[in-house]
Structures are given as C-alpha cells and as structure tokens.
Amino acid sequence: MKRLSDYVNPYIGTISHMLQTCRPEVMLPYSPARSTPLVSGCSDYFCSDVLVGYPLGGAYVTPGRALPGGDSFDNTIDHSLEDFRCYYQRTELEEMDIVAESTVTEHVYLHRFTGADRLKLTAPGGSIAVEDGLILVKALVPRGKEMMQYIAVSLDAPLPPEGTAGENSGENGAILVLGVPESGVTVRGAVSLISFESAKRLLAEETEGLSFDVTAEKAQQIWDDQLSKIRVSGNTEAKKTVFYTALYRAFQRMTNYTEDGRYYSNYDGKVHEGTFYTGDGLWDTFRCMHPLQLIVDGERHRDILESYNLMYKQSGLMPSFPGISGDSPVMIGFHAASLFADALAKGVEADYRTAFEGILKNAETQAMMPWCCGADARDEDRCYYEKGFFPALKKGETETSPLAVEFEKRQAISVTLEHAYDDWCAGKIAEALGKHELAEKLYARGQNYRRLYNPEVGLMCPKSADGEWVEDFDPIYSGGPGGRDYTTENNTYTYTWSVFHDPEGLGGLMGGPEAAAAKLDDLFRHNTGDRWKYSYMGQYPDATGLMGQFAMGNEPDFHIPYLYDYYGAPWKAQKKLRDLMDIWFTDGITGICGDEDGGAMSSWFVFSAAGFYPVCPGKAEYAIGTPLFDEAVIDVGGGKSFTVTARGAGDGLRYIQSAELNGRPLNRPFLAHEDLAAGGELVLVMGRKPNKEWGK
C-alpha cells in the first residue's frame, strides 16, 4: 500500500513560470535541517546540473575521487538519475560513478556516499578543526548577517589527527579534504546556533546508534503521521500527488530553532530557555498558511504565536518578515495583527496583551512606507491617520521621503488597503482586551479603504496628499514595474478586492451584490488591454497564472474567487475554483504557477481542494468553494475529525446542489470555525450544472 509520504513529489515547481523556483527539500516538518543538493548555474533547480555539494547547515560536503592529475570534485547531476522524496534523496553521479544519498533528523544532516574515495568539507567564512573524534566546523549562516553556526560532524571512517585545521581558501573559508573508503561512508552533521557542545548533544541524541537507513525510515514515518492530518480520497493518483506535495510544503514554515529546551535569538543576541520559531513572511502566510496550521497543528501554532511575542520583547518591534538573523524590511502592512486576530477569533489561548502592545506600536508609531521597518512615522503616515489614505505622488512629482526604496516606490493603494485591514484586526484584539475606545478608533481606520474607491472608475485609485485623484491613472498599466507606484506586484484590478474584512461594504460601493459579482466577472474576463501579453508580463512578472486580470500565481488574488459567495453567486466561485485547481496545479515540474513563498501558495491549494477557505483571517468562518476530492478527513485535534464529503467531485462534478452540516440543511456558503473545530461532517451533493439558488 502506498504511504502518504510517497505521494509527495518535491520536484513539483522546481522550474518556475516566471520568478522564484521551488527547492526540493529533504526535511522534517518545521525543522531547521533541510537538505537540497547545492547546484550552480540556472536558478531553476531542475535545470541546474553542476553539483557544488551537499549541505551541513552553512557548510557543505562534496564527494570526489583521487585521479592521476589530482583530487577531483567536479560532479554533475542528471536529474533522471535522481530519486527525491520528502524524507530521502538519492543521486547517481555518473561521471565518477558515485552514489549520494541524504536524509535528516530535526537538527542533523546525514549523507551517505558510495564510490567516492575523497570528501571535501567546506565552511564558508568559517573554520574547521578535529577534536574528540569529531570534526568541528564553524560556518556562516546563509543569508544570516554574519551569524555563525556550530556544526559537529562525525564520519564512520578514520579522521585526521586531533587539531587538524582546514586550510584557509580565501572567500570560500576553510576547506578540509579527507580520504574515505569507496565502499561507503556516512557523514552526519548536527547544527547548533548556540555552541559546539549543543551540536555534540544533538548529534548524539538524534543519531547515536541509528543507521542511515533506520534514520530515513524514522523520517518517513514522521511525514506519514504529519500528512495524515488530512486524508483525501476519490480522485486520481496525480491529484493526490499534487495535494500531498502541497501539504508537505505547508509545513515548511516557521522553523523551530529550539535545541534541548534552549534557543539562540539574534533579536537580542542571547541564549534563552524555551521554544522558539522564526523564519516567516507574513505578507505571504497570513492569508492561509497560518490559518491552515491553526486547524491541524494547534499546539504548535500556540508556540508560533508566543515566538512572535518573544521576538517583540527581545527587539522592541513586532516583526513582519522575521528570519534567523532578525526582522527584514520586506513588503507592506503589519500582518502580525492578522495572525493574532485570527487566533483570537478561533479560540486559541495566547498572550494577546503582549501581542497587542507590539501590534499597536506598528499601527500608531511606525512608518508605513514599503520595504521599511523600524523607522518612525512621517508626514505620509500622518496623511493616513488624518485623511484616511496613504498618499501617492502626483503625476511628475519627485519623491522626497528618505524612507522610500527606489524600486519599491510607495505602493499607495496597497498600503492603504492592507493597513485598513490590519487596523481592523488590531481593533478586534483591542475590543477583546476591553480597550473599547481604542477599538473604535481602529475599526474606523478599517474603513479607510472607502477613501480610495473611485465610483467613476469602479476601482480603487490613488490620491495625492491633497486628496485629489492622481491624473491619467490607468488601472491596468499605471505605476511602473509591478505597478509599484500604486500597488504591490499586481494592478488595481486585483488590489481593489483586498478588503478581506468587509467584502459586503466593498460590494455596496460597487452598487450592491449583483453589481459586485458582475465586476468579478469582468476581472476574470478582462484582457491585457491594448498590449500584448508578453508586454503585460514584462511589467507584472509576479502576475502568473493569468485568467483575465486575475493572477493565480500571486497572493493578493488568493481570496478573490471566494468573494462570489458574499455576492449571491457561489456557483461562480465553484466554477472558477475548479478551473484554477485543474489548470494551474499539476504534478509536473512546472506544476506551481507562481512563487511558492515557503508554503503560502500550497496552503491555498490544500484549503481549496478540501472545499473551503479563510477569506478573512480574524473572522471565525470559511467560505465554501468546491472540493477536489470525494472525501477529505481533517484531524482537528483532541481526537476529533471533520469530514467534507462530496461524492462525484473526484470525477469532475464541481457544482453544489445542496448541503448538510451534521445532518442539518446548510443553505449558506459559509462554514463556522466552531463547527469545524467541534468535528463532524459537511455533506455536499454535487452536480454537473450549477444550482444557482443554493447559498444565494
């Protein structure tokens, strides 16, 4: 019987449609040890064939052979001779007749090489020494702002004499070449951010007495257990592969850097007791990755929430794009407000007082300029506070703010809309904490999206600081690369709909539900205007997976098909969603239509394939779409499960004829989180043609 972990195909998405490629990774859920062969050349993994080495955290090991002209470590990868699973990877390096295999524990990389008689260990920017029968490597954390890792490496082969140091090789750092038996050698490397002593403990605790094969089997069992949190049936093997690969990627972030109950935090440069997660991009993940993990990994989600509080307390700022070395000035908004508001609405216990303290600081005192964090609010921010919108530059006006990033511009429409949503989320937390006056102030700001809706255009439009509409605004092409003068990576056809918390109010501005549904129709049908598609994509390279102006390949579009539920036309959501899942998510190497962004896009597919989606994190409800499978059984914790049954969905039936929730008729296209979390069954009767009355 096929195990769930063997449905995972890490090659999916390893050739990108436009921008960022996916990395196939051998890893455990949320764990820091993540192994992908290091290759050079093309940025798409599947198109790169020059092997650099196999990772040991920030260091790496390269297999080679002693040849008449000297040691050679020049290997290429033929991906047709590669077997990649989420728990194990095997490559035949045919030029030197070497077989390389990899697996992991939480903190330890394991590589087994057969046929090599030389290994080269490289520590970029670091050092190598031999001590107590181990190789101790100090290496730079990749992209870690001069942070160092402590790596304890063991080999089941003779080591050089104690104290042997790797030679210094300039910018490559330290390099140590070892002779090893051709019959096979296993390299184990435990990585710590605390010390060599911690790395040694991790090495012993996680691998001592365990063979490579036993470790790989344990990794596979961990993935089988994790993937069993959602069990689907009733569609093709290919669709199950797409689903479980997406679920695997949905558990890649955040990363648990805890080492035996301790962790190092670069937010204050200290070692602490406790549990610590970091590595996130909230602009990507607040929409559906965190809401998915909240459902199926509730205990871990509480630790993630507390980690955000820890980062705030240690640094003085609630992060938005936290990484191993600190918060990064990336994207827009302060979406920790969404993260905590969603957990609050869904009954998750957390320290909301500390969280709100940090969130309010972002809402009230921090600059809103894109790709800028930690700066104090300025005149453009006061325009938002006092007039209700973030100001765009007038046509031909020169940027004067020193905080503006030249390429990222002001993104004035997107900043206004996303801050309005975050303000609403912050208001929900304030209200729960009894801060009613503050909540009302934040709720009022949550309506700021109304200030930018231009009824003459029927879309959101930019305003300059004096409150006037920017002249000659083209809702498709204005704004330069990515529309960044006014929007974020997409144009205002997409961004008009970024009113997660009040789609009904947005529909009212458009003339009511029927008019809003018609405008959604136009979004999906509107072509690229008077330009060729290649010209459009040249300006909007993030807008992959196009259907009209809708871009499946970028996060601001994720919730849009579900808005039909709010406007009395859920059958149109069902139509579009099935098309989007079938067209843009496949089991091939190009099977992800945009930037994966560490699990964000895959989480959209997991939710949508199960049949529902969190349009507004911060509200305890989900919009119902159309399931991809006949049945999806979701482990919601506490020994309970929630089942979505939709007979015939796997054969292509996409339209809901009627619905029952726990045996009672359900006549609205929404599912309450309370019902989901309690366990039970949603039964959807499916058909070939729409029932336009259901859910209306």
Side-chain angles (χ1 to χ4, degrees), residues 103-105 110 206 210-220:
T103 190
V104 294
T105 67
L110 291 88
E206 297 184 13
L210 300 178
S211 68
F212 179 96
D213 293 325
V214 169
T215 304
E217 168 58 31
K218 289 184 67 171
Q220 183 173 17

Side-chain angles (χ1 to χ4, degrees), residues 108 128 241 453 462 537 571:
V108 183
I128 302 174
T241 292
Y453 186 79
M537 295 305 298
W571 67 271

Side-chain angles (χ1 to χ4, degrees), residues 394-456:
K394 293 182 177 182
K395 185 178 179 181
E397 185 179 2
T398 301
E399 179 63 76
T400 58
S401 173
L403 300 180
V405 177
E406 183 177 358
F407 179 74
E408 295 298 335
K409 309 300 184 182
R410 290 199 174 195
Q411 303 175 29
I413 293 174
S414 301
V415 168
T416 299
L417 298 181
E418 294 199 19
H419 273 263
Y421 165 65
D422 287 335
D423 282 332
W424 176 87
C425 289
K428 299 293 286 186
I429 304 171
E431 183 178 21
L433 294 175
K435 302 177 184 292
H436 300 295
E437 185 175 338
L438 191 51
E440 289 304 313
K441 175 184 176 182
L442 291 164
Y443 285 152
R445 282 191 195 167
Q447 295 295 303
N448 280 348
Y449 72 89
R450 295 175 176 272
R451 308 297 180 103
L452 294 188
Y453 186 79
N454 187 336
E456 293 185 9

Side-chain angles (χ1 to χ4, degrees), residues 344-425:
L344 176 65
K346 294 169 182 174
V348 178
E349 294 182 4
D351 180 2
Y352 291 102
R353 290 194 179 277
T354 295
F356 183 71
E357 182 181 294
I359 289 166
L360 187 63
K361 191 173 182 179
N362 279 358
E364 299 272 73
T365 68
Q366 297 299 295
M368 300 162 63
M369 192 70 75
W371 291 67
C372 169
C373 65
D376 291 335
R378 302 175 63 87
D379 288 345
E380 54 267 20
D381 307 295
R382 285 185 279 276
C383 181
Y384 176 84
Y385 302 148
E386 297 167 7
K387 300 180 181 180
F389 61 91
F390 192 74
L393 297 177
K394 293 182 177 182
K395 185 178 179 181
E397 185 179 2
T398 301
E399 179 63 76
T400 58
S401 173
L403 300 180
V405 177
E406 183 177 358
F407 179 74
E408 295 298 335
K409 309 300 184 182
R410 290 199 174 195
Q411 303 175 29
I413 293 174
S414 301
V415 168
T416 299
L417 298 181
E418 294 199 19
H419 273 263
Y421 165 65
D422 287 335
D423 282 332
W424 176 87
C425 289

Side-chain angles (χ1 to χ4, degrees), residues 570-590:
W571 67 271
K572 291 186 177 182
Q574 296 154 29
K575 177 182 179 182
K576 295 299 182 188
L577 286 163
R578 185 63 184 238
D579 284 344
L580 293 168
M581 286 187 280
D582 285 345
I583 294 169
W584 294 117
F585 295 86
T586 67
D587 65 343
I589 293 164
T590 59

